[in-house]
Amino acid sequence: MARVRYLGAEPVTVPELGPERVVHPDEVVEVPDERFEGYVCQPANWEAVEEPKTTSAPAKKTAAKTSQKED
């Protein structure tokens, strides 16, 4: 999960983070990675603290080769 800091002057309710979840000024909260951009695109209200983890490349799945020797 990514982390963002709330920059507003007054506490706000952020239902996406949980029912009745109130975020206070200068508080750092965890947000779902897929929603990170939705927060940091509002620079007057939120700043990035920890960006989402990125996977550089999907792990390659290779079949194990079996060696068959003829006797």
Side-chain angles (χ1 to χ4, degrees), residues 13-22:
T13 301
V14 184
E16 179 176 65
L17 301 178
E20 306 293 324
R21 178 65 165 95
V22 176

Side-chain angles (χ1 to χ4, degrees), residues 5-30:
R5 174 178 285 114
Y6 176 58
L7 302 174
E10 299 290 326
V12 293
T13 301
V14 184
E16 179 176 65
L17 301 178
E20 306 293 324
R21 178 65 165 95
V22 176
V23 178
H24 297 276
D26 204 38
E27 182 177 353
V28 175
V29 294
E30 289 187 340

Side-chain angles (χ1 to χ4, degrees), residues 9-10 17 21 25 31 34 37 46-47 50-51 64:
E10 299 290 326
L17 301 178
R21 178 65 165 95
V31 297
E34 61 274 4
E37 290 298 324
W46 302 95
E47 77 174 348
E50 183 179 325
E51 294 191 9

